[in-house]
């Protein structure tokens, strides 16, 4: 889009988000409502979805240091934190900015219109009791929100221990995150099948994924090379793109480095990672624009499609019979509609999903 | 085999090889001759094949530092060496021990019974003019022989520039090598399609392959991590085993390290690689035994098979008709022969190759 050429860094972000919200409310939302977009795709956006700070999602097997990583970014504690060598964090935690430390339970969080978590309500009560926000006045949280997650366990524990859809929750956060950091422990490196499944599901978010090889100061530089090499060896096969994933090597907790052989490297890597976090708010502007454009395109096609189908459904008699028949002829309708209104077929929704939704809609009109 | 349990390091190697040679000459060779083994598989072994020092084959794209690596092991020059940033080495060079520096041209080399290179004669004149031995009195060569190779070029150059079967020659040396070192340049890392093909063909020698990321002192430790990571990322896909290939990181030439950030690492890695080279002669004993056992098994099955087929061919009339018929029924004969003499079918040769050879043999008797 032509506006990417403008220098967005000089823009006032607040004003920008206001303008995006206005555009959405005036131009896109009415079409969404008129064409039942929510029933086919996703619920209308909230103002909070525009204003939300960039989210950083932390993932990894248990005990790799996710919670300690957050503490080191905050340079202090946060309410509800639990750190330890056994699986400790048992819930998803949104670590957010607030005037003073406090915990907000999941049920309350999912109700707040000014927080971007209304969507999680759909994961049900079991999940909401395992979801919390921790508010702290740490400076870094003025720019970003961190999402701590319970460690990915292996085998039975993963499946039995959790009474909500862990995979779907991860996916929900990943969809909304601006950065996904997958952490590994240089001490005990292995990629469990469960982690592999998670990474596989996140493949579409490749560009947002960063790897962090944590606790890298605990071993000497030759061991570190071996471990790092083994990690890249396996990652290359899991991610399976020719482009190499950015892997940060570091040690993020309050203690000083143990082996100083790698000091130079670890300090540079830390600086790089912090710089990337610092840059998120700026990039978020571009990302939000792109997302709105993407959504607007999808809404436009949807509205034409619904309009086209509606024209074929009689107003009074034989409505449902005709609607049922349309389910059969859908592939043909897609092509005809695309040709009629000059829409690219590539912008059309997945036909099977669409058919399923259409089957659920009682009255298209 | 039970003898692997014995402590081979205390054995007198000279005596050992004598004994192996004796065993081969008395027990295996007569069977090979009686069953026309050479026409079906490979020529009889020479004494030189038993005595030959462990061979280390150096491979890699041009200018990665193969020739410089050899110089650094010798701690000095060798006749015929050519070092430079453009493709320099234009021939295969066996760098061997000799009382004083001299060059032995390929034609002469392929004639010498006391050298393990008689087999290369089959690659023809074009190859023999591109093959040489350099003899030098360097101490390390008392234990091993180094094979320098022309760099793997990419694209047209690889195909057009060489008037012998490069791939087959590499394969020949790789079959006989005790260690294959594939070198990469930390400065300009890429795995060309041609290199990929070579590595693919060497897959059966996985256990002998080591990777060397050379010139690693030319870049700082953060860059080195990136390069090394990218190398492992791609190698994992080319080699495609879950076990990680051993990658040495180093800088092997006469100059001191440029960046000293990685001194600790590079020195440890160098020590490890040299220790592995030092250990080759001891391991060679085990390897030679294993190879002889493997060959003996193959000869045994072959001899039974020929015996079994011969019994079905009449002595005087209708010989060739019957032999031709056997070509058709070969799969059945294999199974019958295995059952008759209690031989594992897994030890039988590739049936298509065997059939092709059998077709060439005029008179089986
Ligand atoms: N950089 C580090 N170097 C060494 N040890 C660390 C480092 N960071 C954390 N640890 C230790 O590792 C253990 C696990 O840390 P932490 O609880 O932060 O991991 P986690 O990934 O949040 O685990 P869980 O998935 O169970 O919540 C703790 O004992 C912690 O002290
Ligand atoms: N460890 C090293 N660090 C930096 N430069 C090196 C190193 N080793 C060799 N070089 C330089 O790299 C260039 C290529 O070296 P060399 O000729 O040994 O490579 P090669 O792999 O034998 O190439 P070819 O395949 O053409 O024979 C030379 O200019 C050499 O000085
Ligand atoms: Mg935790
Ligand atoms: Mg060379």
């Amino acid at each position: 889009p032509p506006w990417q050429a403008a220098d967005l860094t000089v823009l006032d972000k607040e004003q920008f988000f206001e303008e995006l919200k206005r555009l959405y409310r005036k131009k896109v939302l009415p079409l969404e409502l008129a064409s039942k977009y929510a029933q086919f795709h996703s619920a209308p956006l909230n103002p909070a979805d525009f204003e939300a700070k960039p989210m950083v999602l932390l993932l990894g097997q248990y005990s790799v240091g996710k919670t300690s990583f957050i503490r080191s970014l905050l340079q202090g504690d946060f309410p509800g934190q639990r750190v330890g060598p056994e699986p400790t964090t048992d819930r998803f935690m949104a670590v957010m900015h607030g005037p003073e430390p406090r915990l907000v339970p999941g049920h309350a969080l999912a109700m707040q219109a000014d927080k971007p978590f209304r969507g999680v309500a759909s994961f049900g009560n079991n999940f909401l009791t395992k979801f919390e926000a921790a508010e702290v006045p740490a400076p870094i949280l003025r720019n970003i929100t961190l999402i701590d997650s319970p460690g990915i366990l292996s085998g039975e524990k993963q499946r039995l221990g959790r009474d909500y859809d862990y995979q779907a929750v991860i996916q929900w956060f990943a969809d909304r995150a601006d950065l996904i950091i997958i952490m590994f422990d240089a001490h005990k490196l292995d990629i469990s099948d469960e982690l592999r499944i998670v990474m596989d599901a996140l493949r579409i978010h490749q560009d947002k994924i960063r790897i962090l090889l944590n606790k890298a100061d605990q071993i000497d530089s030759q061991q570190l090379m071996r471990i790092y090499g083994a990690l890249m060896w396996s990652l290359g096969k899991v991610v399976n793109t020719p482009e190499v994933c950015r892997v940060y090597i570091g040690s993020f907790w309050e203690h000083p480095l143990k082996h100083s052989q790698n000091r130079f490297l670890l300090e540079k890597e830390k600086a790089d990672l912090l710089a990337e976090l610092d840059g998120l708010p700026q990039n978020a502007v571009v990302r939000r624009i792109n997302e709105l454009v993407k959504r607007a395109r999808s809404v436009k096609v949807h509205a034409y499609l619904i309009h086209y189908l509606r024209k074929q459904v009689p107003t009074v008699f034989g409505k449902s019979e005709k609607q049922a028949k349309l389910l059969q002829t859908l592939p043909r309708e897609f092509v005809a509609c695309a040709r009629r209104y000059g829409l690219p077929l590539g912008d059309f929704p997945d036909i099977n999903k669409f058919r399923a939704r259409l089957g659920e809609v009682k009255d298209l009109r």
Side-chain angles (χ1 to χ4, degrees), chain A:
Chain A
W3 45 27
Q4 273 197 353
D7 182 2
L8 295 168
T9 57
V10 299
L11 288 170
D12 176 356
K13 266 177 284 156
E14 294 294 313
Q15 206 186 317
F16 212 91
F17 289 136
E18 281 311 312
E19 182 58 20
L20 278 188
K21 266 190 275 186
R22 205 188 57 80
L23 266 170
Y24 176 71
R25 209 176 47 240
K26 293 265 165 195
K27 305 283 183 184
V28 185
L29 187 57
L31 260 181
E32 288 191 17
L33 297 176
S35 64
K36 298 183 195 288
Y37 187 80
Q39 278 163 276
F40 285 83
H41 300 281
S42 60
L45 298 177
N46 297 311
D49 291 322
F50 290 95
E51 287 154 6
K53 289 173 182 152
M55 266 198 316
V56 178
L57 174 61
L58 291 163
L59 292 178
Q61 296 180 165
Y62 83 91
S63 233
V64 294
K66 298 179 291 297
T67 306
S68 304
F69 175 80
I70 293 182
R71 288 191 62 234
S72 94
L73 290 185
L74 306 184
Q75 304 196 302
D77 297 335
F78 63 91
Q81 70 178 33
R82 287 177 59 208
V83 167
E86 72 292 354
T88 43
T89 308
D90 68 343
R91 55 197 62 199
F92 283 82
M93 292 210 90
V95 185
M96 318 182 74
H97 196 264
E100 54 201 279
R102 68 164 182 148
L103 273 174
V104 185
H107 283 96
L109 209 53
M111 300 289 290
Q112 295 181 3
D114 64 335
K115 296 261 162 44
F117 300 118
R118 298 182 74 160
V120 298
S122 65
F123 295 116
N125 267 326
N126 286 340
F127 173 70
L128 289 178
T129 60
K130 296 289 187 195
F131 180 44
E132 264 178 353
E135 292 187 356
V136 240
I140 194 171
L141 297 179
R142 270 197 233 110
N143 289 322
I144 57 178
T145 291
L146 300 162
I147 310 287
D148 195 6
S149 66
I152 296 169
L153 304 173
S154 38
E156 289 290 271
K157 275 178 285 174
Q158 170 86 347
R159 207 167 43 75
L160 298 179
R162 291 182 175 138
D163 45 10
Y164 56 88
D165 188 345
Y166 182 75
Q167 187 70 42
V169 171
I170 296 260
Q171 197 71 53
W172 190 91
F173 281 107
D175 287 345
R176 280 148 192 86
D178 292 86
L179 202 70
I180 303 168
I181 300 181
I182 304 180
M183 288 175 67
F184 291 88
D185 182 340
H187 242 149
K188 50 173 177 44
L189 182 66
D190 85 305
I191 305 190
S192 67
D193 288 346
E194 288 72 21
L195 177 55
R196 205 177 287 268
I197 292 168
V198 168
M199 292 188 67
D200 227 49
L202 297 185
R203 200 178 285 222
I204 41 164
H205 298 303
Q206 250 272 224
D207 55 320
K208 301 196 284 194
I209 293 180
R210 302 293 177 274
I211 309 288
L212 172 55
L213 184 59
N214 199 26
K215 309 192 188 180
D217 63 327
Q218 302 286 309
I219 53 183
D220 74 25
S221 55
Q222 203 187 16
Q223 282 174 299
L224 181 57
M225 275 289 181
R226 292 286 89 73
I227 294 287
Y228 172 66
L231 177 63
M232 296 305 276
W233 184 276
S234 327
L235 278 182
K237 296 186 211 179
V238 177
V239 177
N240 211 9
T241 58
E243 298 76 30
V244 181
C245 208
R246 176 65 162 106
V247 177
Y248 291 100
I249 300 167
S251 180
F252 288 83
W253 66 342
E254 66 269 36
H255 300 285
L257 298 184
K258 188 169 160 196
H259 282 266
S260 57
Q261 285 164 5
N262 296 311
R263 174 174 303 283
F264 172 84
L265 171 69
L266 298 188
E267 279 170 1
K268 272 201 155 191
E269 291 279 293
K270 184 171 201 160
D272 283 3
L273 178 51
L274 293 181
E276 177 149 24
L277 293 179
D278 271 350
L280 281 181
Q282 283 306 343
N283 297 337
V285 174
V286 179
R287 195 182 288 276
R288 295 281 141 77
I289 297 175
N290 279 336
E291 272 160 19
L292 187 58
V293 172
K294 216 159 80 185
R295 187 169 180 109
R297 286 176 78 98
S298 152
V299 170
K300 175 181 157 192
V301 164
H302 178 76
Y304 270 118
L305 196 51
I306 294 294
H307 170 72
Y308 185 80
L309 296 176
R310 268 182 188 153
K311 281 201 309 178
Q312 303 181 48
V313 178
T315 9
V316 190
F317 298 111
K319 270 210 274 202
S320 41
E321 290 78 3
K322 179 61 191 176
Q323 216 177 299
K325 224 180 134 202
L326 281 177
L327 288 181
Q328 251 92 62
T329 57
L330 213 49
R332 229 188 311 135
E333 310 298 340
F334 269 39
V335 175
C337 171
R339 193 169 308 140
R340 172 76 176 262
Y341 300 110
L343 303 168
L345 249 180
D347 281 1
F348 276 59
D350 179 76
I351 197 159
N352 293 322
K353 254 194 191 157
F354 189 88
R355 183 185 284 128
R357 296 286 169 281
L358 185 59
E360 287 161 21
V361 172
K362 274 253 167 62
D363 185 356
L364 196 59
R365 293 215 151 236

